[in-house]
Structures are given as structure tokens and as C-alpha cells.
Amino acid sequence: MMRLIAIFLLVASSAFAVQPDEILDDPALEQRARDLSQGLRCPVCRNESIDESNAELARELRILLRERLVDGDTDQQAVDFLVARYGEFVLLRPDSSGINVILWYAAPVMLLIALGIGWTVIRRPAAAPDDLSDDEKAELQKILRS
């Protein structure tokens, strides 16, 4: 049983996403490409990096990234090229500046607002109904005192 699990984990591993024909001859350049591709999202697979994805589009992005690095682009230039082509969606961790600040801080702010509203509702004293008869009001006062 353990062997079957180990085989399944090896087959399902993302280490096989990068094909041997994609790997660059220069180990330093290949490491840069792997580091960059781990921070880029696969447009097909959603929250999976192009380094982990087996999708054809992810393969094309890996190849394009490696071509840019071989042509002499810096890491930032290569990433900027892909962002210009596919939008900020390809970044697994988008910048936290500009309009993205709203996205980064909206959830915590909404949580704080919800907690404040909840606290206010819980702490508000319950109002006694005005349509009670005098006997019902007396009984209510008796219950509240005990």
C-alpha cells in the first residue's frame, strides 16, 4: 500500500511539469527561470504556478520566459514582458500598490466593520414592547428582578 502511495505521489508530482527539452544548458540561467516561473500563475490552471502546471499554455510561458532570459533580459524585464502580455493576473502575488491596495485591504476592513456591527447589535439593550398590558409589565418587572 505504501509503495502505491509513493508511486502516486511521484507521478502526480509537479517536478515533471518542466519537460527535459525546456531545461536550459546553463544551470544558473535555468535556476533563475525556475525561480521566476514559480511566481507566475498558469492562466489555465488558476492558483498553480507555470512551474507546476502541465497545461500547454504553461509550457509555452515557460519556454517564452526562458527565451527572454537567454536573450539577456533581467528577471524584472522578463516578468514585466509577461505581465504586459497577459496582465497582472499572471502574478501569483500581485503588487500591493495603486488600485490593488483596495483588493489587499478590503477584506480586513470589511471584517472589522462586520465585527463592529455585530458587537453593537449584541451590546444594545433589548427594548421592552410598548403594547404590553399593565399586568404583563408588572410580571415582566418581577421576572427581571429575580
Side-chain angles (χ1 to χ4, degrees):
M1 181 66 176
M2 291 302 287
R3 288 182 186 171
L4 182 62
I5 292 172
I7 290 171
F8 176 72
L9 289 175
L10 286 174
V11 171
S13 173
S14 64
F16 297 114
V18 176
Q19 302 297 317
D21 62 333
E22 296 174 33
I23 297 175
L24 299 172
D25 294 332
D26 182 4
L29 207 54
E30 176 61 25
Q31 187 59 47
R32 280 179 55 203
R34 293 297 294 261
D35 291 341
L36 291 176
S37 64
Q38 288 174 358
L40 296 170
R41 178 190 328 262
C42 174
V44 176
C45 305
R46 308 295 175 185
N47 296 321
E48 191 173 33
S49 72
I50 62 171
D51 194 53
E52 301 167 335
S53 175
N54 288 320
E56 186 62 31
L57 182 57
R59 175 180 161 77
E60 291 172 12
L61 288 174
R62 288 191 302 264
I63 292 171
L64 181 61
L65 178 67
R66 283 168 171 76
E67 287 173 357
R68 300 295 297 190
L69 293 177
V70 168
D71 288 344
D73 282 2
T74 65
D75 293 354
Q76 190 61 46
Q77 288 172 329
V79 170
D80 288 345
F81 177 79
L82 292 174
V83 168
R85 199 170 224 197
Y86 294 96
E88 281 191 28
F89 178 75
V90 296
L91 298 175
L92 279 174
R93 291 199 45 88
D95 293 335
S96 59
S97 62
I99 194 71
N100 289 344
V101 170
I102 295 171
L103 296 175
W104 280 98
Y105 294 111
V109 167
M110 296 300 281
L111 176 65
L112 291 175
I113 290 171
L115 289 173
I117 291 171
W119 181 259
T120 303
V121 168
I122 289 171
R123 300 301 298 170
R124 184 183 315 152
D130 293 336
D131 57 347
L132 295 177
S133 68
D134 291 335
D135 291 337
E136 291 172 331
K137 288 180 182 179
E139 184 66 28
L140 181 59
Q141 287 301 324
K142 186 173 138 183
I143 292 171
L144 288 175
R145 281 189 224 129
S146 60

